[in-house]
Amino acid sequence: MLKGGAVRRATALVAGGALLLTGVALLVLPGPGLLLVLAGLLVLSREFPGVRRYVDPVRDRALRAADDSVASPLRLAASVLAGAGLLAAGVTWGLRPRLPFGGWATGSGLILSGLVLLGLLLWSLNRARQARRAPTPATPPSRVGSGSEDTEHAVHGRPPTGAPPGDV
């Protein structure tokens, strides 16, 4: 009989291995391959310390790829269309068993891929929005004072108090 630690390690091996292998397959197929590779490595690294050294490089690449996927409206639109296409293909394959590999086994896999893609796309978009909203480090004022003179200068076009003549 297996003890609790052995069961936990076996579960981590099966779940992490499945995520890792699915992610590797999705590196060449449509889907979020790097994020699933990262998820698999994270699951495996909890029970197998030797895997930890691979987590940070894959995390950096996966997060960079997630940010790139929503970096421009064109990429965002293409990703949404890809997700919608996967959903449509899944329904088509499910309803048309005469297609190659037709049936709901293939169709449900395509639908699941489309849902995962759209879910991760929403996550990436939310992450990018939060990064834009994050406060930027304050730059020290170039002049001594409360800053109201600089604001008045910017709003009303008047030179700040104590500025040399002609400084507008």
Side-chain angles (χ1 to χ4, degrees), residues 134-139:
T136 56
T139 56

Side-chain angles (χ1 to χ4, degrees), residues 103-119:
W104 284 109
T106 302
S108 61
L110 290 167
I111 290 170
L112 181 63
S113 292
L115 291 174
V116 168
L117 174 65
L118 293 172

